[in-house]
């Protein structure tokens, strides 16, 4: 019998700087009305000067450890899901380990874009079930704002910064992560990526002038993928646990666009009230989004012990995934 593994501590952090739709109206040809009706987003948070992704991660981690009744020295392993590390060739999880003082923990970054929190929880669960570790600190943190072209209204208005952390440990039998599904539909063309600054196309002056060093997205292609990926991942994770949508109490979807969530609700034949949404406050925070939503749902008392949750995400890659979780706290 495999151990039951679940979340014993949860923490979130959003940086203080607020960027509203009205602020965007001053920068590009857009309107609050366009952004709200096409996406649902009203404002987002941006990391302040001197704050890197590891700093956001550390704040969320401190909150999660407090919630779990642990100190940094207790942590055995850190998985940091991010696609916006502080530096190009140093893992941001090592910075987190140092800044947090988690001196006994090994650490690595996991790159699966907006599906990162779900991928990291699934990997962390397996590492505990294998007997390798007793606890894993899973963090998802992003500073997407640093990669945005502030002249590109198509992509830049969607994203924000934030972090979420979860301490995974063995929990009561039958609780915790029940099942999961992880998927990838790899694409080689530039649906959603930064084209320049990796090893294939190093930075040039021309690339900077063209704006190729910033995040660029083909919104319609991502939209088409997302409306299928969200329900497919949720159903596949449920099936892996011999469950159906009727067993669910709450869905925590990736917070990219209200229209994508509404479409997923229709396809899954579930009422919108079963979907937790906080994208109006944070925009799309990539890997952090599902954790940030779960954290707020718990804080607002929307999750109680024994509730069956589906966490579902999709993102660049293209990656997608879902995790069914019986809340154990
Ligand atoms: N303000 C005003 N007008 C705009 C803006 C803006 N911010 N952005 C685009 N437009 C214009 C376009 O230029 C276009 O004008 P045109 O008709 O004159 O050419 C018009 O609005 C319609 O553009 P569409 O792209 O067709 O708009 P759409 O309804 O598809 O909405 C959006 C665009 C919101 C980006 C949508 O496609 C979407 O949400 N896609 C999914 C994005 C997503 O979820 N990304 C996250 C992926 S997760 C990750 O891993 C990062």
């Amino acid at each position: 019998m495999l151990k039951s593994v679940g979340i014993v501590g949860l923490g979130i952090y959003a940086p203080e700087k607020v960027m509203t739709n009205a602020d965007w109206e001053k920068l590009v040809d857009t309107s609050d009305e366009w952004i709200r009706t096409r996406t649902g987003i009203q404002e987002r948070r941006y990391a302040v000067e001197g704050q890197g992704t590891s700093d956001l991660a550390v704040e969320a981690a401190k909150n999660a450890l407090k919630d779990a009744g642990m100190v940094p020295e207790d942590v055995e392993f850190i998985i940091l899901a991010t696609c916006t590390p502080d530096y190009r060739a140093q893992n941001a999880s090592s910075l987190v380990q140092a800044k947090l003082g988690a001196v006994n923990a090994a650490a690595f970054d996991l790159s699966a874009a907006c599906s990162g929190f779900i991928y990291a929880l699934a990997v962390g669960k397996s590492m505990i079930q294998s007997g390798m570790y007793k606890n894993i600190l899973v963090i998802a943190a992003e500073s997407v704002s640093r990669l945005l072209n502030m002249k590109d209204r198509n992509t830049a208005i969607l994203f924000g910064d934030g972090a979420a952390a979860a301490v995974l440990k063995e929990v009561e039998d039958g609780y915790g992560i029940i099942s999961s599904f992880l998927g990838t539909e790899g694409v080689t063309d530039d649906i959603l990526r930064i084209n320049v600054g990796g090893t294939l196309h190093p930075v040039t002056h021309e690339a900077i002038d063209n704006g190729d060093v910033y995040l660029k997205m083909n919104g319609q292609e991502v939209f088409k993928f997302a409306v299928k990926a969200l329900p497919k991942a949720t159903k596949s994770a449920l099936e892996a646990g011999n469950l159906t949508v009727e067993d669910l109490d709450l869905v925590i979807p990736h917070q990219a666009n209200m229209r994508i969530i509404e479409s997923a609700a229709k396809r899954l034949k579930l009422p919108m009230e079963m979907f937790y949404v906080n994208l109006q406050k944070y925009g799309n925070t990539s890997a952090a989004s599902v954790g940030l939503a779960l954290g707020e749902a718990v804080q607002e008392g929307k999750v109680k012990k024994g509730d069956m949750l589906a966490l579902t995400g999709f993102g660049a890659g293209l990656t997608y995934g879902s995790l069914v979780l019986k809340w154990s706290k």
Side-chain angles (χ1 to χ4, degrees), residues 26-204:
K26 292 176 204 142
L27 293 180
V28 293
D29 180 14
T30 190
S31 66
D32 173 53
E33 207 256 332
W34 192 97
I35 300 175
R36 268 189 296 108
T37 51
R38 297 292 177 116
T39 71
I41 300 165
Q42 293 170 22
E43 57 186 43
R44 32 342 250 136
R45 304 292 185 89
Y46 286 175
V48 297
E49 212 183 318
Q51 233 179 1
T53 293
S54 66
D55 299 302
L56 312 189
V58 166
E59 292 309 316
K62 281 184 194 163
N63 293 335
L65 290 176
K66 196 171 160 209
D67 191 37
M70 287 166 63
V71 292
E73 290 81 0
D74 296 331
V75 178
E76 294 185 4
F77 203 97
I78 299 168
I79 306 177
L80 173 60
T82 188
C83 59
T84 55
D86 301 38
Y87 300 104
R88 181 81 56 198
Q90 182 187 8
N91 56 344
S93 50
S94 292
L95 297 171
V96 172
Q97 191 254 21
K99 290 178 185 180
L100 190 61
V103 288
N104 300 309
F108 72 76
D109 288 12
L110 185 153
S111 176
C114 304
S115 314
F117 189 59
I118 287 150
Y119 268 63
L121 287 172
V123 171
K125 174 201 164 198
S126 323
M127 288 166 81
I128 293 177
Q129 284 182 330
S130 73
M132 226 175 145
Y133 295 99
K134 289 199 170 55
N135 70 60
I136 311 272
L137 175 59
V138 168
I139 315 171
E142 303 277 19
S143 312
V144 191
S145 68
R146 295 277 153 73
L147 307 177
L148 300 176
N149 180 349
M150 302 306 271
K151 293 179 188 150
D152 173 11
R153 67 178 186 175
N154 292 300
T155 306
I157 53 107
L158 299 170
F159 293 93
D161 304 341
V167 178
L168 287 181
K169 264 190 181 177
E170 186 173 356
V171 293
E172 213 177 311
D173 251 1
Y175 284 83
I177 300 170
I178 305 292
S179 55
S180 59
F181 167 83
L182 304 178
T184 298
E185 275 186 27
V187 288
T188 53
D189 48 357
D190 59 346
I191 289 182
L192 179 49
R193 71 176 172 221
I194 300 173
N195 274 311
V196 166
T199 52
L200 190 59
H201 302 296
V203 178
T204 59

